[in-house]
Amino acid sequence: MSASWNTVESDAGVFTYLLEGLGVKDVQFEELISLDRQFLHQRCPVYGVVFLFKYPVGEKPRETPLDGVFDYDAAESHFFAAQTIQNACGTQALLSVLLNKDKLIDVGPKLREFKEFTSAFPADLRGEALSNSELIRDVHNSFAKSSPFADEAQRLATEEDDVYHFVAYTEMGGKLYELDGLQPAPISHGSCSFEEFPDKVIPVLQRRIERYPAQEIRFNLVAMVRDLRIRAREIGDQDWLYQEEQKRNAWQWENALRRHNFVGFTAETVKGVVRSKLSEGETRYAEWVEEATKMTSTRLTERRKAKGGPSEEEMATEQ
């Protein structure tokens, strides 16, 4: 039985340092704001992309995918693992790209050993091996947000819940594949060379997004690329190198903040402010509360007006 896997964010900084924690070298992630071929080409080589989307909980399993075709042979000849535990899909999507690009990327001794150990396994046993890997699970969980509240992640989701899922897209053996641990096999989207991947993955992603209502915008897409600092050094672009170093510093700071629980700090700050106001006298405390209430009311009114809604006075008149 696998130990608990916590939820991690779909974030370029999280994924970059997660792989670094697993021993991977010279790889980073870049967030894609739009489906832009030029943006991808500027960051070549692109090893794959990881797509986060709202998962249709009530959807029944299909014998054929909505786009592409199942390739059961690829499940045996390439690294493909079934997802066997909740919350592991993000890291599993990263590894689905990474362990199929281990001839181009230095994945480190631990992940190389893991791939060799599971190479003869069927997809379901690979998934179990991944879920039970203490190294992978511990590094994954080290990037989860700290929370003082009870974790209900293990309860079964209902159709009313917002459930999100990660899938990976990468080129393998001259074809473009979608790697989804909840599917029985990799999904082939046709012929594709490594160099063609940035061009050919865009229409596949566009078709995927078009399945959702036009107002649905809850998607996230990150690309796995070579460490951009290497390219900056190769061409001698010091400004670009500086920007990438600053980006890394910001990622490290954000990842450090994720590990801390600020609820206690916030509570103590509020208590300190209240204690300070009470020391000025009961009258001053009451005035402070009244001032804060008025300020809040003013801000809410301004926010409603900005959105074209009625003010509190107008709402009171209507009642």
Side-chain angles (χ1 to χ4, degrees):
M1 181 66 182
S2 302
S4 174
W5 289 64
N6 299 325
T7 303
V8 298
E9 292 180 62
S10 179
D11 179 83
V14 168
F15 289 164
T16 297
Y17 282 99
L18 193 157
L19 289 190
E20 186 174 292
L22 291 172
V24 181
K25 296 181 179 178
D26 300 335
V27 167
Q28 76 176 66
F29 286 85
E30 284 286 288
E31 186 171 0
L32 304 181
I33 306 300
S34 64
L35 298 177
D36 187 340
R37 289 179 172 84
Q38 184 177 1
F39 182 89
L40 277 178
H41 277 291
Q42 290 172 345
R43 284 148 183 81
C44 280
V46 179
Y47 303 116
V49 298
V50 174
F51 181 53
L52 173 72
F53 60 97
K54 185 178 178 182
Y55 187 77
V57 177
E59 187 174 85
K60 296 180 179 179
R62 301 175 59 89
E63 293 184 2
T64 58
L66 292 172
D67 190 18
V69 295
F70 287 127
D71 187 340
Y72 291 92
D73 291 336
E76 302 298 325
S77 59
H78 297 85
F79 182 84
F80 177 75
Q83 185 179 334
T84 62
I85 193 169
Q86 292 186 60
N87 297 331
C89 59
T91 294
Q92 186 160 332
L94 307 187
L95 295 180
S96 294
V97 176
L98 186 72
L99 295 182
N100 285 300
K101 287 287 177 281
D102 55 329
K103 293 182 179 179
L104 300 176
I105 300 172
D106 183 355
V107 301
K110 296 295 184 181
L111 289 181
R112 191 176 301 112
E113 180 183 339
F114 173 79
K115 183 180 179 181
E116 291 172 355
F117 174 71
T118 60
S119 60
F121 290 1
D124 56 343
L125 287 184
R126 282 192 194 130
E128 288 290 347
L130 193 157
S131 298
N132 284 287
S133 168
E134 289 188 16
L135 169 68
I136 298 173
R137 184 180 65 244
D138 289 348
V139 173
H140 169 100
N141 285 345
S142 71
F143 289 90
K145 282 189 174 181
S146 176
S147 173
F149 306 110
D151 182 15
E152 297 182 357
Q154 298 305 314
R155 72 176 178 83
L156 293 177
T158 66
E159 293 188 26
E160 287 72 34
D161 290 324
D162 286 339
V163 178
Y164 295 89
H165 183 56
F166 293 88
V167 298
Y169 294 85
T170 190
E171 176 275 333
M172 304 187 308
K175 291 183 179 180
L176 171 57
Y177 283 100
E178 176 182 335
L179 303 174
D180 180 353
L182 296 181
Q183 299 295 340
I187 298 173
S188 171
H189 292 282
S191 63
C192 176
S193 67
F194 179 67
E195 292 74 19
E196 292 174 324
F197 176 77
D199 291 315
K200 292 201 170 183
V201 74
I202 296 297
V204 175
L205 291 168
Q206 287 173 330
R207 292 196 298 271
R208 181 65 179 260
I209 292 173
E210 286 169 0
R211 297 181 204 169
Y212 290 84
Q215 65 271 20
E216 179 60 67
I217 59 171
R218 288 170 292 182
F219 305 106
N220 186 260
L221 185 66
V222 292
M224 183 188 294
V225 302
R226 188 175 66 153
D227 187 337
L228 295 177
R229 296 175 299 179
I230 297 174
R231 179 73 179 278
R233 293 189 186 101
E234 288 175 347
I235 64 176
D237 191 330
Q238 295 301 315
D239 290 338
W240 186 15
L241 178 59
Y242 175 77
Q243 291 173 5
E244 291 301 320
E245 293 288 1
Q246 291 298 105
K247 183 195 299 180
R248 293 282 180 137
N249 291 338
W251 283 346
Q252 287 181 317
W253 172 248
E254 291 166 3
N255 288 338
L257 292 179
R258 286 184 178 92
R259 296 186 177 97
H260 292 281
N261 165 22
F262 291 97
V263 172
F265 170 77
T266 303
E268 290 301 318
T269 301
V270 172
K271 287 195 292 184
V273 172
V274 171
R275 191 182 302 116
S276 173
K277 293 299 180 182
L278 285 173
S279 67
E280 298 176 14
E282 291 288 343
T283 303
R284 178 59 189 135
Y285 175 76
E287 292 173 352
W288 174 64
V289 172
E290 185 177 354
E291 290 171 5
T293 302
K294 288 181 179 179
M295 288 178 63
T296 301
S297 178
T298 300
R299 289 172 181 170
L300 289 174
T301 299
E302 291 173 351
R303 191 177 302 170
R304 290 193 189 100
K305 286 182 177 179
K307 294 181 178 180
S311 65
E312 284 194 348
E313 291 80 5
E314 292 169 335
M315 292 174 67
T317 302
E318 291 174 1
Q319 293 175 353

